[in-house]
Amino acid sequence: MSLTRKRKKELKRLRSGAEDLWTQQQEVLANANALAAEARKQAAYYTREEIAPRVRDGYDTYVRPAAETAKSTASRYAGAARERVVGDVIPAVGTAVGTALSVVDHARAARAAAFSGDFSKAAKQLTKKPAPKKSGPGAGGVVAIVVGIVAAVGVLYAVWQTFRADDELWVADEEPTTPATTSESASGAEL
């Protein structure tokens, strides 16, 4: 297919216009990239000179003292908990285990004496003086405290469940159906 001269000239003009437009777009993109690079550089300067010092001052003024206070408070509570465990819990557990072991030892000794035929030794084993009174809560007291705490948590949970705002729990009242209307219709069907 051959084109007329006029069409060839128009196509050539269109092609040169498209090439000029492409060159202009490349220049615009290059200028936009240069402008974006300069904007990034200026933003970095602004961040380094203005924002970073403000953030650092805010951190030093507000966050660091609060963190140090929280750290010291946490270490103080941890120390108190450690003292309670070492001072109260471990001795109570040791006392309970020691008492259980001594009961087992006495039972073994009494059984061994009974089987060996030495009843006086067995009676002596059973009538030894009682162990000294212990101070502080025993194993039963610790169990009672734990049960009390669990019961208190259960009561608090029940109260919370009772008073929480839950729209799905509320059901609208419906009008009750009367049994007289249903029994009248059934008796009318029998006649």
Side-chain angles (χ1 to χ4, degrees), residues 5-189:
R5 271 172 93 166
K6 184 177 178 183
R7 292 281 179 222
K8 286 182 184 179
K9 214 185 260 188
E10 288 175 357
L11 286 174
K12 191 175 184 182
R13 204 174 28 234
L14 182 62
R15 183 178 295 139
S16 68
E19 288 175 0
D20 289 342
L21 179 63
W22 178 252
T23 306
Q24 290 172 359
Q25 285 179 346
Q26 293 299 321
E27 289 174 8
V28 166
L29 287 175
N31 289 338
N33 286 335
L35 184 64
E38 184 64 27
R40 277 193 301 270
K41 188 169 40 170
Q42 291 301 322
Y45 290 149
Y46 183 74
T47 301
R48 192 172 33 251
E49 294 169 0
E50 296 292 326
I51 295 174
R54 288 183 186 175
V55 169
R56 198 174 307 116
D57 290 341
Y59 176 78
D60 290 339
T61 303
Y62 299 108
V63 176
R64 185 176 300 196
E68 289 173 359
T69 303
K71 182 180 175 184
S72 67
T73 303
S75 64
R76 186 172 62 244
Y77 284 129
R82 183 177 55 246
E83 289 173 10
R84 285 299 246 191
V85 167
V86 170
D88 294 339
V89 174
I90 292 176
V93 169
T95 302
V97 169
T99 303
L101 289 176
S102 69
V103 166
V104 169
D105 286 340
H106 284 286
R108 281 186 186 161
R111 187 175 45 204
F115 282 121
S116 67
D118 190 6
F119 294 110
S120 63
K121 188 177 179 183
K124 191 176 183 183
Q125 284 287 339
L126 291 176
T127 59
K128 279 190 172 181
K129 65 179 181 177
K133 291 188 178 182
K134 54 185 174 180
S135 62
V142 172
V143 170
I145 290 171
V146 169
V147 169
I149 290 172
V150 169
V153 168
V155 168
L156 289 175
Y157 180 74
V159 168
W160 176 73
Q161 285 291 329
T162 301
F163 290 116
R164 71 183 177 131
D166 194 353
D167 293 335
E168 294 177 4
L169 292 177
W170 298 103
V171 178
D173 292 335
E174 297 179 7
E175 290 188 28
T177 58
T178 59
T181 56
T182 57
S183 64
E184 289 174 4
S185 62
S187 65

